[in-house]
Amino acid sequence: KDYTTPRLLKNYGLPFNLKSKFNEQILSKIILCYTNEPGVRNAEAILDYIISKLCYMYINQNSSLKTISSNLNVNTIHNFVGKREKNK
């Protein structure tokens, strides 16, 4: 939360204030529903995938940062990650 998300945002050139959108609920959903193994590698890969999609929306679809950040919440995370949910 305090290392991976800010680093990925910086790598993609997105503003640091988007970090606040990756709150405990979203990170918990990613870890519980989309990772298959313990550790941060899989969660980091999924965060990278989500942030790359945010970057694509910002650059190629001329979406504002406000629009992008409002589209990202615990109920819409599947729109960014897809149907990669693990079996429960």
Side-chain angles (χ1 to χ4, degrees):
K1 173 181 136 179
D2 294 328
Y3 172 74
T4 302
T5 306
R7 183 179 55 79
L8 289 172
L9 289 171
K10 182 180 177 185
N11 288 350
Y12 280 101
L14 293 172
F16 185 74
N17 62 355
L18 280 179
K19 176 187 175 282
S20 64
K21 290 304 290 184
F22 291 92
N23 57 32
E24 294 291 327
Q25 291 178 321
I26 288 179
L27 295 175
S28 293
K29 173 122 181 169
I30 290 169
I31 291 167
L32 293 174
C33 298
Y34 294 97
T35 60
N36 295 321
E37 57 192 42
V40 296
R41 187 179 314 160
N42 213 0
E44 184 176 356
I46 291 169
L47 277 171
D48 185 89
Y49 186 74
I50 292 168
I51 291 172
S52 71
K53 280 194 157 189
L54 292 173
C55 188
Y56 177 83
M57 290 170 63
Y58 181 62
I59 293 171
N60 293 330
Q61 298 177 357
N62 294 323
S63 298
S64 70
L65 289 174
K66 186 176 181 180
T67 303
I68 291 170
S69 63
S70 67
N71 287 334
L72 180 64
N73 61 57
V74 73
N75 297 319
T76 60
I77 199 76
H78 64 277
N79 294 338
F80 291 91
V81 182
K83 300 289 183 188
R84 294 175 10 173
E85 241 179 282
K86 71 177 184 179
N87 296 331
K88 294 183 180 179

